[in-house]
Amino acid sequence: METVIPSKPVMNIPIAKPTMTGDEMALIQQALTSGWVSMGPLTQQFEQAICKVTGATHAVAMNSCTSAIHVAMLIHGIGAGHEVICPSYSFIASANGIRHAGAEPVFADINPTTLTLDPEHTETLIQENYDANLINKKTGHQLRAIHLVHQLGIPGDIDTFARLAEKYNLVLIEDNACGLGSTYKLQPLGSSGFTNSLSFHPRKVITTGEGGMLLTGSTDLAAKAGVYRAHGMSISDFARHNAKATTYESYEVVGYNYRLTDIQAAIGLKQVERLESFIQRRRQIAAIYNQAFAPLPELSIIEVPDYVTRWNYQSYPLRLVDADQAKRDAFMLALQEVGITTRRGIPPIHQEPVYQQGLILPQTEQVSQTSLMLPIFPLMTDEEVHYVVEHVLNTCKRLL
Ligand SMILES: Cc1ncc(COP(=O)(O)O)c(C=O)c1O
């Protein structure tokens, strides 16, 4: 049998890979030897460092973004009997954090060009389903908030949603899991003053292994979030350990153990120092992809609106024009066969068994079925980027 020798060696390119700076270990060592391995000075420094790069006034570090979303709901008094508008075009945690609080997500459609919540669909949904007191005419539950997800790091239209929230007396909460380093109207995501949550999962722009952070412009809400994070304890661990006199903590709410360790904060502090260089490299890779794919009529790249003044390219989505789900899956398989890992263009939450409501969201479903995510991470070499380009173009010729 004839052996086919590939013209070039097959590469093995993951969808993402964390970039460790090399000097995390020294700071981890400091955490290990200092006696403060959880919720100590490094956690505080990490919170301050994130405030500095985002322009947020208050930051509360947690063990994940999902925990931060849950706490965001709690500090705004959102719970049983309440509903929160949320995109279905997101990772399931955007909805889970709402359910953890006892409330129910109500899924709205996205704008297919911005990939974020569609303000018009959101307003129609409010007008058609809720009475003047924001009571859902079918469920009897009260609408309390809009959860605006900055999907893939693309800022949603914060000002438009802030106006909508004001008009209907709703709370605006931002899911900023992917958005660190992106800017909206020249302002960093996280600086709006609305409660929002960041993720430091390894697929995000910076990572602490696992981790998250709640940002807010309100001193009062930040204090409440700090209490929920640590078992509902009225005095923080840090304050207790530094107190000169005996302190008596009390518990007025049922809290959680959502604390971040100083070992994770040590990693985060080193990561955040290199945030700018990480984003610059992501944007360089995206520019190469955009240039290669934009001319092809079979492919559609994402052209962000003007209010997105910087996209961090936490992920790189590509849409296959006139394709269906089967074609998209075949496209992904073809790339997998040459060692390129891709991901589906976000499975809609409303189609997952745990949330199924028989809902149809045309834009969400269409975008999801015809999109895939390409590898993008700062350590990707130019050779790897061009390898992806070459194989996307070949696959396009062969399959579309
Ligand atoms: C939009 C969005 N929200 C929330 C999360 C949850 O983040 P974490 O894994 O830190 O809980 C993710 C993670 O992928 C996400 O993409």
Side-chain angles (χ1 to χ4, degrees), residues 63-69 89-95 147 149-152 175-178 197-204 210-212 314 346:
N63 60 353
S64 75
C65 177
T66 311
S67 304
I69 295 170
Y89 187 76
S90 189
F91 182 58
I92 199 158
S94 303
H147 200 205
V149 181
H150 303 306
Q151 196 48 260
L152 314 174
D175 179 337
N176 196 9
C178 310
S197 48
L198 290 170
S199 172
F200 306 124
H201 175 268
R203 260 199 78 182
K204 301 303 187 283
E210 296 287 347
Q314 179 271 331
I346 311 191

Side-chain angles (χ1 to χ4, degrees), residues 253-310:
V253 294
V254 176
Y256 301 84
N257 181 354
Y258 283 168
R259 296 182 284 219
L260 189 79
T261 67
D262 271 34
I263 302 162
Q264 292 165 299
I267 303 171
L269 272 166
K270 285 295 157 193
Q271 292 268 298
V272 81
E273 280 176 12
R274 289 188 54 197
L275 175 66
E276 273 311 306
S277 69
F278 290 169
I279 293 176
Q280 271 169 31
R281 178 62 185 150
R282 286 176 174 279
R283 287 175 56 78
Q284 264 173 7
I285 297 168
I288 297 172
Y289 283 163
N290 285 342
Q291 202 182 11
F293 306 145
L296 272 87
E298 299 90 344
L299 301 178
S300 166
I301 63 165
I302 303 302
E303 311 249 20
V304 289
D306 287 347
Y307 60 68
V308 177
T309 40
R310 183 164 83 156

